[in-house]
Amino acid sequence: MDYNTGRPNHIEDYLITVRTGQWFGWSDSKNKVYANLVVYDGGAKPSESDCTNGLKALQDSWDLENNSYKSKRSAEYPSVVDQLDDIYHNGIDAWKATIKTTKDKYPKP
């Protein structure tokens, strides 16, 4: 996983979703490629295409969630505390106007 964004970026991100526990490892921990994948629990080793396709599915899901109007809106909305303060001091209509700015910027598809 990319530590800055949280986006899956390695087959290991997929492998941890396949089974629970420490069922896999690497024959060379400094070179974590499919060829070095070792299965410890006696289960079947996923195919390389399963791993790459699984990683791609995780990335697509992450991209959809993090590039959606919902995530963009939530990043721009004022905090709940600030919204409540706005309502208290300026009323519901002023709060609605503030929120509408963000909703208009990132409309629902």
Side-chain angles (χ1 to χ4, degrees):
M1 163 185 342
D2 181 299
Y3 290 110
N4 292 323
T5 64
R7 185 177 190 267
N9 65 354
H10 191 274
I11 63 169
E12 193 168 29
D13 298 320
Y14 166 71
L15 292 170
I16 62 173
T17 70
V18 174
R19 296 197 285 269
T20 59
Q22 191 172 353
W23 66 272
F24 73 92
W26 307 98
S27 60
D28 180 356
S29 63
K30 296 188 187 323
N31 189 19
K32 294 181 178 180
V33 295
Y34 181 80
N36 294 333
L37 177 62
V38 178
V39 175
Y40 296 130
D41 70 355
K45 181 177 179 179
S47 70
E48 187 168 9
S49 65
D50 285 344
C51 293
T52 55
N53 292 339
L55 175 58
K56 175 81 168 92
L58 289 173
Q59 290 172 330
D60 290 347
S61 176
W62 188 95
D63 291 344
L64 182 63
E65 179 65 27
N66 289 282
N67 291 322
S68 72
Y69 77 93
K70 289 180 184 178
S71 62
K72 290 176 181 177
R73 280 183 181 181
S74 66
E76 285 204 26
Y77 282 144
S79 72
V80 172
V81 171
D82 289 341
Q83 290 184 49
L84 291 171
D85 194 50
D86 188 23
I87 291 169
Y88 178 80
H89 290 289
N90 304 312
I92 293 288
D93 291 335
W95 168 77
K96 284 182 179 180
T98 300
I99 296 304
K100 187 172 180 347
T101 303
T102 303
K103 286 185 177 285
D104 290 345
K105 186 174 179 181
Y106 303 108
K108 288 183 180 179

